[in-house]
Each structure stands twice: as structure tokens, then as C-alpha cells.
Amino acid sequence: MYSYVLKRLLSAIAVLFGASLLVFVLVINSGDPLQELRESNAENVEFLIQQRIAFMNLDEPWYSRYWIWLTGIAGCAVGACDFGTNMSGQDVGAMVANSASSTLRLVFLATILSIIIGILTGIVTAIRQYSSLDYAVSFFVFLFFSLPVFWAAVLAKDWMGITYNNWLREPNFTWTQIIIVAVVASILVPLIIGGSTQRRLLTGAAMFGFVLVVMPLMDSLNYALEPRLGPAVITLLGIGLAFGLTAMLSGLKNRRVLYSALTVVGIGLVSYYATFWLLIEPPGGWLTVIGLFLVTIAVAVLVGRTMGGHAKGQAVAVSVITASLFAVMVLLDHFMRAWPGFLGMKPRPIATIGSSSPNFSGDFWEVALDQGTQLVLPTTILMLVSVATYTRYTRSSMLEAVNQDYIRTARAKGVNERTVVFKHAFRNSMIPLTTIVAFDFAGLIGGAVVVEQVFGWSGMGNMFVTGLSNSDPAPVMAFTLITGAAAVLFNLIADLMYAVLDPRIRV
């Protein structure tokens, strides 16, 4: 294994070397970086020209300029990376540090959400092949996959950003809106749940009545401006998650798994009160929040292994997922508590331009809300295309797996359908999905170029476009190196994951 990894790393270095050389030659021959200055009437134009020549090493032949850049990058091996300077003399390494945080924040969130939503949707559509849900999901998947990113981004700015901000001036639902939402819910929910015609009609009628009651109630509580969850709602939702996840992953007859999940909910309720004042203004910021989340996971694992009995694996899985979602609801509750104060500082919360609000100052949760609302639109656009990809690949992989002989054998032996789907079929269908996930992360960094331009983000995409339009190779090379290294690294991780998912590959 070590020799295999070493060979892959050496081949990765060769690939990155060839890609960087090709990109460098293309960029320096794409235009004249001095054209702007040659057309200038400034008195010190000659000084500015000589200064730019010095910054970009334009007095050197192309191979010498590339060698200067390559030797600077080679310093990364000893922790002293030198990405060079751009045409204005700015350190590209500092530019990368500033822009990478914005881009990676955007891409990481879009990737995580795409994986979760896409894989779950793909599994459900594969299980219910050729159902009305399968046809509806396939329609929307192909629709999202075919949308031009720049066009969808403009629509999102108008509908999800500007329209929502205007609605917040007087956030009240009209009866027309309530009836439309009720009709849509009465159609979609039965479509997702499935069942007989009678069951769908009953579910649709229940959803129609539920919406007619809840939306006016939200208006009366001024929920759009003063949202809240509270410990009672969080606990009820946690109990529902415990039962639902147990039913899905283990079965309600497995009482040890159910009791483990319910114990986690009880501990979560206690921790809600124990950490409430600590989370009002976390002393270490996000490090404190992440630390508490890791403690939550550790406690869930301990509970699952202690109470799981013969089903320790299933108990740990259900407990960890329940604890994670419970923790997310607790964080959401704190965000909701900070929402009224945030609206007082930023009445139009959904930003359509930029990655952060200039000169915005507030407490921890208000600043987090500002950064989060900046992410809503670009993350949604990047996520739509990836969700479509994951859904289709998951569906096709699952359908291929469930038609294999070992699945028919498992069913013939009387193994319950839950175990067949999640333990046998899904694990084997993960192998092609691993490849897609690996390439998608690096692909999203490249796809962020268009999104960042539309939403005015000062990220790596903006740095790449600016460098390319000015025939400035240093920023373009930095972008190419980071995206190329990400592609190669995640491809290597995907190959190693094959051996984890399928032990036969280790041979």
C-alpha cells in the first residue's frame, strides 16, 4: 500500500508539473500585460512600466520566468511557499490566503449538502423505481442539471434575494399564498410518502389542513421576524428523529437501538440547559462550538456501544445521527434568538453581492448570521447541479446493485429489506459514487468562478478571472495549482476508499 501511495504521489507531481507548464505558456501568450501602461498619459509611465517588468520578470525569457515560479513553489516542500507577485507587486500567497477562505467556505458547504441530499434522494428513487416520485425527481434532476449556472444565479438573486428582502418589510402571508402552499404540500408529501390511493388522499388532506392552520399561526406569532424553537420543540423533534431513524436503520423491534437514541435525546436536553449561557457568546468562537459538537459525538458513540448489546453498530449509527441533528437544532435555536437583533442591523438580510457585509459588527451569532446569509444564494446554485449528479449516479448504482445475485440471495434467506438496502446494496453502490465525490469537490472550485463573478465574491474565482484578463500568470498559476492539487489528492483518496468499501480491491 505504501509503495502504491508513493507511486501515485510521484505521478501526481508529474501531472501538476505538466499542467502548470501548459497553463503558464498559455497565459503569458494570451495578451500584453503592459498594454494598459503603454496607452497611459501619466507622467511617470516609464517608471510604472519598469516597475511592472520587475514585478513580473518580463525581462526574462519565458522558461526562466517559469523556473522562477517553480522554484518558489518547490519551497512548499519545506513549508516556505512562494507564489510570486502579481502585476501590481502584491504577494500572491497573501491573496490566496484571503480568497481561499471565501471559496472553500462556499464549496465545502455546497459539497456536504449536495452529498447528503443527492444520495438520500437517489436511494429513495431507486427503491421506488418507476413510481410517480421517481418520475417527478427525474424531471427536476434533469432540469437542474441543464440550467446554465449564470442564468440560474441571476434568477436566484431576483426571486430568493430581492423578493424575500422586500417581503420582510411586511412579512404576512396572504390567503392566496397560503392556499397555494397548501395545495403544493398536499401534492408533494403524498408523492414522497407513497402508498395506496386512499392513503395518499388522506395524507394530502391532512397536509392541506395542516398548512391552513400553521401558516396563519406563524403570522399571528410574527414568526418571520421573531422565530423560535425552544427546548420543548427541539425535544419533540429529537424524539421523532429517534423513532424515525431507528425504524429506518434497525427497526422499532430492536429496543436497544431505540433506547440508545432516546437516551441521547435526554442527554441532549440536559446539555441544552447546561451549555445555554456558554453559547450566548462562545469564548473561543467556532472552536468552542466545534469542540462541543465533538463531545456530543463522543457521548453518542459511548451510549450506543454501552446500550446497543448485540446491535452495537446500529445503535452507534442511530445515536450519532440523532445527536448530530439534535445539536444542529440547538444551534438553529441560538441563530433564531439572534435573528431579531440581526434584522435591526441588516434589514435586508439576504445579500446578492459580496461574501461579507463591510463594516458589520455584532456579537458571535449576528456575525455568523451575516456570513451565513451571504452564503445562501451562491451555495444554492452550486448545490443544484451537484445534487442532480449525485441523485442520478446513486440511483443507477443502486439499481445495478439490487439486481445482483447476492441481493436476491439475501432476500431469499429472509433478510429484512432495510438490511438489504443499506448494508448490502448501498455499500456496494458507494464505489462509483466515491469517484464522483472526489472529482466534484475540485470541480466545484472551478465552477465557483462563474458564481463568484455573478455574486461579486472576492474569492479564488475572482482572482483567477482578474489574472487571466490582465495576462498576469502568478494568480492564474496559484488557482491552477490549488485546484489541480485538490483534484489529484481527492482522486488518490477515492482510490484508497475503494479498498475500504470493497476488501477484494486490497488484493
Side-chain angles (χ1 to χ4, degrees):
M1 180 63 72
Y2 290 113
S3 61
Y4 171 76
V5 173
L6 181 60
K7 290 178 182 178
R8 288 297 304 271
L9 289 176
L10 292 176
S11 64
I13 293 174
V15 169
L16 291 175
F17 171 77
S20 64
L21 178 60
L22 177 62
V23 171
F24 186 86
V25 172
L26 291 174
V27 172
I28 63 175
N29 288 285
S30 63
D32 182 10
L34 299 177
Q35 182 178 356
E36 173 192 353
L37 295 178
R38 290 195 178 103
E39 297 174 353
S40 175
N41 295 323
E43 296 180 358
N44 61 340
V45 65
E46 290 298 330
F47 170 76
L48 295 176
I49 290 176
Q50 293 302 319
Q51 187 182 53
R52 184 168 295 184
I53 289 174
F55 287 149
M56 301 180 66
N57 298 310
L58 296 177
D59 53 345
E60 300 283 348
W62 71 268
Y63 49 84
S64 179
R65 294 171 62 190
Y66 177 75
W67 178 255
I68 293 172
W69 177 85
L70 189 61
T71 52
I73 293 300
C76 294
V78 294
C81 293
D82 182 10
F83 287 92
T85 58
N86 68 352
M87 63 194 310
S88 301
Q90 294 176 297
D91 181 23
V92 175
M95 294 171 59
V96 169
N98 292 329
S99 60
S101 60
S102 297
T103 299
L104 292 179
R105 178 161 49 106
L106 172 63
V107 171
F108 180 78
L109 182 60
T111 302
I112 296 299
L113 293 175
S114 301
I115 291 173
I116 295 174
I117 297 174
I119 289 180
L120 290 178
T121 307
I123 292 174
V124 172
T125 53
I127 295 173
R128 296 172 57 183
Q129 185 185 16
Y130 301 135
S131 65
S132 54
L133 174 65
D134 185 25
Y135 288 124
V137 170
S138 297
F139 170 78
F140 285 106
V141 161
F142 284 115
L143 176 64
F144 294 151
F145 193 78
S146 304
L147 284 177
V149 174
F150 62 90
W151 183 67
V154 173
L155 291 181
K157 290 175 70 172
D158 186 17
W159 294 348
M160 298 176 59
I162 298 173
T163 302
Y164 176 75
N165 289 334
N166 292 337
W167 178 76
L168 274 182
R169 295 174 183 172
E170 296 181 3
N172 295 313
F173 298 109
T174 65
W175 276 105
T176 302
Q177 294 171 335
I178 294 173
I179 292 175
I180 291 175
V181 173
V183 171
V184 172
S186 65
I187 296 174
L188 288 182
V189 173
L191 189 68
I192 295 172
I193 295 178
S196 63
T197 303
Q198 182 180 3
R199 178 181 176 182
R200 294 189 183 192
L201 290 175
L202 290 174
T203 304
M207 286 306 304
F208 189 85
F210 177 78
V211 173
L212 289 182
V213 172
V214 169
M215 291 185 69
L217 179 62
M218 292 174 65
D219 271 347
S220 65
L221 295 175
N222 199 22
Y223 204 82
L225 299 181
E226 298 178 0
R228 62 194 68 86
L229 279 180
V233 175
I234 293 175
T235 303
L236 289 175
L237 292 175
I239 293 173
L241 284 172
F243 276 92
L245 290 171
T246 303
M248 183 174 66
L249 298 179
S250 178
L252 292 177
K253 293 181 179 180
N254 197 331
R255 297 299 184 185
R256 288 183 175 273
V257 176
L258 178 61
Y259 294 155
S260 299
L262 292 175
T263 302
V264 166
V265 173
I267 296 174
L269 179 61
V270 174
S271 65
Y272 173 86
Y273 289 102
T275 62
F276 183 83
W277 295 108
L278 176 66
L279 289 175
I280 291 296
E281 187 64 40
W286 281 109
L287 290 178
T288 300
V289 175
I290 294 173
L292 290 174
F293 183 78
L294 294 177
V295 171
T296 300
I297 299 300
V299 171
V301 172
L302 180 62
V303 170
R305 293 189 63 83
T306 303
M307 302 182 62
H310 66 279
K312 288 183 180 179
Q314 295 176 342
V316 169
V318 172
S319 298
V320 167
I321 298 174
T322 303
S324 301
L325 295 176
F326 194 96
V328 170
M329 288 189 291
V330 172
L331 289 180
L332 183 60
D333 181 66
H334 282 277
F335 278 119
M336 286 181 170
R337 292 177 182 274
W339 182 254
F342 173 69
L343 287 181
M345 305 173 66
K346 189 178 177 183
R348 299 180 66 82
I350 305 299
T352 57
I353 207 77
S355 56
S356 62
S357 299
N359 303 320
F360 184 88
S361 60
D363 61 21
F364 171 80
W365 297 104
E366 289 168 347
V367 172
L369 278 171
D370 176 60
Q371 295 176 348
T373 52
Q374 302 282 151
L375 282 169
V376 170
L377 298 183
T379 298
T380 302
I381 297 304
L382 282 178
M383 186 182 67
L384 285 179
V385 177
S386 293
V387 164
T389 303
Y390 289 132
T391 299
R392 295 309 296 175
Y393 272 95
T394 302
R395 181 182 182 275
S396 61
S397 298
M398 284 288 294
L399 289 177
E400 182 179 356
V402 297
N403 290 322
Q404 298 297 318
D405 291 339
Y406 63 88
I407 297 294
R408 284 192 287 270
T409 302
R411 285 171 172 161
K413 290 168 61 178
V415 178
N416 64 69
E417 188 66 16
R418 186 185 306 104
T419 303
V420 170
V421 171
F422 288 101
K423 187 174 181 180
H424 297 293
F426 179 61
R427 179 168 181 175
N428 285 277
S429 66
M430 281 291 291
I431 294 179
L433 282 174
T434 304
T435 306
I436 301 301
V437 172
F439 281 106
D440 190 61
F441 184 81
L444 278 178
I445 297 179
V449 173
V450 178
V451 174
E452 288 181 11
Q453 288 296 299
V454 176
F455 292 102
W457 273 54
S458 298
M460 294 181 61
N462 182 64
M463 183 183 71
F464 170 80
V465 172
T466 302
L468 192 61
S469 60
N470 293 327
S471 301
D472 188 0
V476 178
M477 296 297 291
F479 178 86
T480 303
L481 182 66
I482 292 174
T483 54
V488 171
L489 176 62
F490 278 88
N491 190 28
L492 174 60
I493 294 174
D495 288 346
L496 298 179
M497 285 298 297
Y498 293 157
V500 176
L501 295 171
D502 189 350
R504 294 172 299 178
I505 296 178
R506 301 172 193 171
V507 182

